[in-house]
Amino acid sequence: ATPTSIMVGTGKAAESGILFKGGEHLERTHALNAIVLDKTGTITKGKPEVTNFTGDEEALQLLASAEKGSEHPLAEAIVAYATENNMELVDVDHFIAIPGHGIEVTISSKQILVGNRKLMQDHQIDVGGAEQELVNYEIEGKTAMLIAIDGKYRGIVSVADTIKETAPQAIRELKEEGLEVIMLTGDNERTAQAIAKQVGIDKVIAQVLPEEKADKVKEIQDNGKKVAMVGDGVNDAPALAIADIGIAIGTGTEVAIEAADVTILGGELLLIPKAIKISHATIKNIR
Ligand code: ADP
Ligand code: MG
């Protein structure tokens, strides 16, 4: 590999908004045969909005007040929805985030739980007839969360995030470059499958806890693959670091950008197949 051609390659990439941290990453990009993409903020825009709320006013007030303490995009969507509906938010006494499951909050000696089925199971909450409503949202690609107050099921809030317009084309091009494409998410299986279908991904690994994302990448590597990981979140950083090539979304968190080998500016997914093509063209010139 001549240093000059590598420099030309990374320079060309940089002009398009693909920032390699070093020439060796361009060489390793050439060898990739699998790519794992995070869902929220990577494949989707990461700007979710509430589409449905089932429950009474008190449930909405406590739900939104509880979520005010969370930095999760789902929480931001819920707070925005309550504010738009002129809901007065109240102060929180105690806040705990349960990664991958939801939140547990105390507000004037009431206990509020917001999160997925697992959170409700762990607290032995009977969600009664909510299951069918939950499933109906999930098959549409929405993320639905259950609300419980003082041990009683009180409602559902459903949130939708839209896919990036160029995602289907980017996925198609990645497949054309010979890569196996996999989606990785903490969200539930049904929602993940619905989003995957919209963008043309057939392999999904869902309900992955934040601390397990890196293990999943390692498993794919152990099956003999050279794996790229694409992500934007703090919880993607260990997976970005362990992957053969970590690709950070430029609009994502600083932590993800630091852990990655490559950053694509503006979160444009088409830059990923472009990076692969540049690596192929560069290495071909070398040989
Ligand atoms: P993602 O990979 O989509 O960022 P996370 O691991 O952050 O997923 O979250 C997984 C699931 O945990 C969410 O789909 C949701 O059901 C639940 N969850 C996480 N944070 C919150 C929150 N602040 N409020 C309610 N539910 C939450
Ligand atoms: Mg994300």
Side-chain angles (χ1 to χ4, degrees), residues 89-147:
L89 301 190
V90 294
D91 286 338
V92 164
D93 299 312
H94 192 62
F95 177 93
I96 312 172
I98 307 153
H101 293 158
I103 57 168
E104 189 179 338
V105 181
T106 312
I107 298 175
S108 50
S109 64
K110 286 195 174 81
Q111 188 216 35
I112 295 110
L113 296 169
V114 189
N116 56 18
R117 290 178 184 83
K118 182 71 173 56
L119 182 75
M120 297 297 149
Q121 277 160 18
D122 290 348
H123 288 82
Q124 284 147 4
I125 311 284
D126 177 10
V127 298
E131 181 61 25
Q132 191 53 51
E133 189 180 341
L134 217 55
V135 170
N136 289 343
Y137 294 135
E138 290 168 353
I139 54 181
E140 293 174 346
K142 296 170 183 164
T143 301
M145 290 154 279
L146 298 150
I147 306 144

Side-chain angles (χ1 to χ4, degrees), residues 16-216:
S16 317
I18 305 159
L19 309 180
F20 281 92
K21 282 188 186 165
E24 71 275 21
H25 303 308
L26 185 69
E27 289 189 278
R28 261 186 296 118
T29 299
H30 175 71
L32 294 172
N33 51 20
I35 186 161
V36 177
L37 299 110
D38 158 63
K39 176 174 76 74
T40 311
T42 299
I43 292 172
T44 68
K45 290 176 182 165
K47 298 262 174 275
E49 282 182 31
V50 171
T51 61
N52 304 80
F53 169 73
T54 311
D56 61 18
E57 275 206 14
E58 188 200 29
L60 178 59
Q61 186 187 39
L62 293 175
L63 160 71
S65 302
E67 291 285 9
K68 213 167 59 158
S70 167
E71 281 165 13
H72 204 284
L74 293 170
E76 287 174 25
I78 293 167
V79 172
Y81 173 78
T83 310
E84 282 156 23
N85 285 281
N86 303 315
M87 187 55 76
E88 201 82 50
L89 301 190
V90 294
D91 286 338
V92 164
D93 299 312
H94 192 62
F95 177 93
I96 312 172
I98 307 153
H101 293 158
I103 57 168
E104 189 179 338
V105 181
T106 312
I107 298 175
S108 50
S109 64
K110 286 195 174 81
Q111 188 216 35
I112 295 110
L113 296 169
V114 189
N116 56 18
R117 290 178 184 83
K118 182 71 173 56
L119 182 75
M120 297 297 149
Q121 277 160 18
D122 290 348
H123 288 82
Q124 284 147 4
I125 311 284
D126 177 10
V127 298
E131 181 61 25
Q132 191 53 51
E133 189 180 341
L134 217 55
V135 170
N136 289 343
Y137 294 135
E138 290 168 353
I139 54 181
E140 293 174 346
K142 296 170 183 164
T143 301
M145 290 154 279
L146 298 150
I147 306 144
I149 301 169
D150 286 337
K152 289 210 168 48
Y153 165 70
R154 291 287 294 272
I156 297 186
V157 60
S158 157
V159 167
D161 196 359
T162 44
I163 61 162
K164 293 179 181 171
E165 280 85 9
T166 54
Q169 193 192 332
I171 306 297
R172 202 172 333 115
E173 290 186 21
L174 286 168
K175 288 180 175 174
E176 282 164 9
E177 291 301 314
L179 276 78
E180 182 180 1
V181 183
I182 303 155
M183 179 195 283
L184 184 65
T185 178
D187 213 338
N188 76 90
E189 180 77 33
R190 232 178 258 113
T191 305
Q193 289 288 357
I195 299 289
K197 201 170 163 208
Q198 288 179 34
V199 297
I201 295 180
D202 8 67
K203 193 150 185 245
V204 171
I205 310 173
Q207 263 146 279
V208 180
L209 294 175
E211 68 269 22
E212 293 171 348
K213 280 192 170 181
D215 298 342
K216 295 295 173 190

